């Protein structure tokens, strides 16, 4: 897999997770404040867990890419 492609995918996943968590937080706030009864609190809480997991997976992917780049840099330094 291309490293740039993996980084771009992880970056997009991190943005989706952030947007999802913001949306979930707004839903929880509106529901608990009694402003909106149309939204489902349980769904927002479950989705927030899912979005948090997506964010962690994206961060782990970026970390793995960083480690791979560091290893590649060490190999290049050794060969040079």
């Amino acid at each position: 897999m291309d490293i740039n492609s993996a980084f771009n995918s992880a970056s997009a996943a991190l943005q989706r997770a952030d947007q999802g968590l913001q949306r979930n937080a707004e839903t929880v706030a509106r529901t608990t404040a009694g402003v909106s009864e149309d939204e489902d609190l349980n769904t927002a809480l479950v989705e927030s867990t899912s979005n948090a997991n997506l964010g962690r997976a994206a961060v782990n992917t970026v970390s793995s890419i960083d480690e791979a780049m560091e290893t590649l840099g060490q190999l290049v330094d050794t060969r040079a």
Side-chain angles (χ1 to χ4, degrees), residues 41-56:
L41 179 62
N42 292 327
T43 300
L45 293 173
V46 170
E47 285 180 358
S48 68
T49 300
S50 177
N51 285 319
N53 288 337
L54 176 62
R56 274 192 288 278

Side-chain angles (χ1 to χ4, degrees), residues 12-47:
L14 196 53
Q15 287 176 332
R16 280 193 312 273
D18 181 54
Q19 291 168 351
L21 285 168
Q22 287 180 10
R23 187 176 54 251
N24 299 138
E26 290 169 3
T27 299
V28 169
R30 282 192 303 267
T31 303
T32 56
V35 175
S36 175
E37 294 180 14
D38 295 337
E39 298 172 295
D40 186 17
L41 179 62
N42 292 327
T43 300
L45 293 173
V46 170
E47 285 180 358

